[in-house]
Amino acid sequence: LRDQRYLDLAAAASAQIADEAWARYGGHRSFAGWYLPQELRDAHYTPQMIGSLRTFFKGLGDHCRALSGGKRVLISPAMSGLIAPDLFGRIYTSLLLGSGIDVVIFQDGVGARGWDKDLERRVVPYFGAMRAACRTAGVELWSDIEIFRHTEKPSVSAPASIERIKRQIAAESPFVSAFVMFDFFHYMSPRRGDAQKKLYEDYLRELESSAGPSR
């Protein structure tokens, strides 16, 4: 997302897809908002890059809102811990201000980076920095929990344990207003395999236990 020509082409292509999506699905009650799929990273974006990205999201988001009568616009940036949390926060504060983004769904990176053992140390500073940036910009913050783990085979992932997922929720919940997961179909669908079925059943048990005894 550092190249202006790419941003111009992506904006035009994305606006066309938004037109088609709204024409086909806009009448459905489940059409709740717009996800802009261009993923930002924790990179050293220059002020010029930040301005270009802000303009890109503002223009595309305004197009989507105009189509749908104001439905919310969401993005899902990622992070890998390559820059310090304070710099990360300053970059995202500048980027979000005036961007027109309504919700940031922040990828926690735990599955992709293999942060199982030290996830609290890894994610808490960045969720804190992102929360501060979102508050300054008037943007809602959600978490995108990665519910997978690395395996011994390269490029192969498997469902995480419910214990690790509970740690992710505990570490991130002070900073966010909602959670989504990446992703149910590969890592929690009981139709996908035995490991997925186990995680699904473990998750249901956690829901039942947290709800307390029925009346």
Side-chain angles (χ1 to χ4, degrees), residues 170-184:
E172 299 160 23
S173 59
F175 306 101
V176 303
S177 59
F179 287 91
V180 298
M181 69 174 73
F182 186 86
D183 66 82
F184 177 88

Side-chain angles (χ1 to χ4, degrees), residues 15 18-19 22 31-36 54-75 96 98-103 138-139:
D19 292 343
W22 183 251
F31 199 116
W34 299 92
Y35 170 59
L36 308 186
R54 190 191 305 118
T55 299
F56 168 81
F57 286 122
K58 182 69 165 62
L60 184 55
D62 285 351
H63 179 85
C64 292
R65 268 187 291 267
L67 283 174
S68 59
K71 291 187 182 294
R72 294 198 295 179
V73 175
L74 303 83
I75 61 171
L96 291 172
S99 67
I101 297 300
D102 298 301
V103 180
V139 176

Side-chain angles (χ1 to χ4, degrees), residues 1 38-46 50 53-54 57 75-80 83-99 101 104-107 126-139 141:
L1 297 179
Q38 290 79 17
E39 293 185 2
L40 299 172
R41 303 286 174 178
D42 51 347
H44 287 276
Y45 294 117
T46 66
I50 291 171
L53 289 167
R54 190 191 305 118
F57 286 122
I75 61 171
S76 184
M79 63 96 171
S80 55
I83 62 176
D86 58 343
L87 175 58
F88 175 85
R90 291 197 299 272
I91 288 172
Y92 273 90
T93 299
S94 179
L95 196 154
L96 291 172
L97 280 167
S99 67
I101 297 300
V104 167
I105 312 173
F106 191 25
Q107 300 176 36
Y126 291 91
F127 271 84
M130 182 64 88
R131 180 182 63 176
C134 287
R135 283 181 171 176
T136 299
V139 176
L141 179 60

Side-chain angles (χ1 to χ4, degrees), residues 186-205:
H186 284 94
Y187 304 112
M188 198 186 280
S189 171
R191 299 180 181 274
R192 193 81 181 187
D194 290 341
Q196 289 86 347
K197 182 179 180 181
K198 182 180 185 306
L199 179 56
Y200 178 74
E201 292 173 347
D202 289 345
Y203 177 68
L204 291 182
R205 277 193 291 270

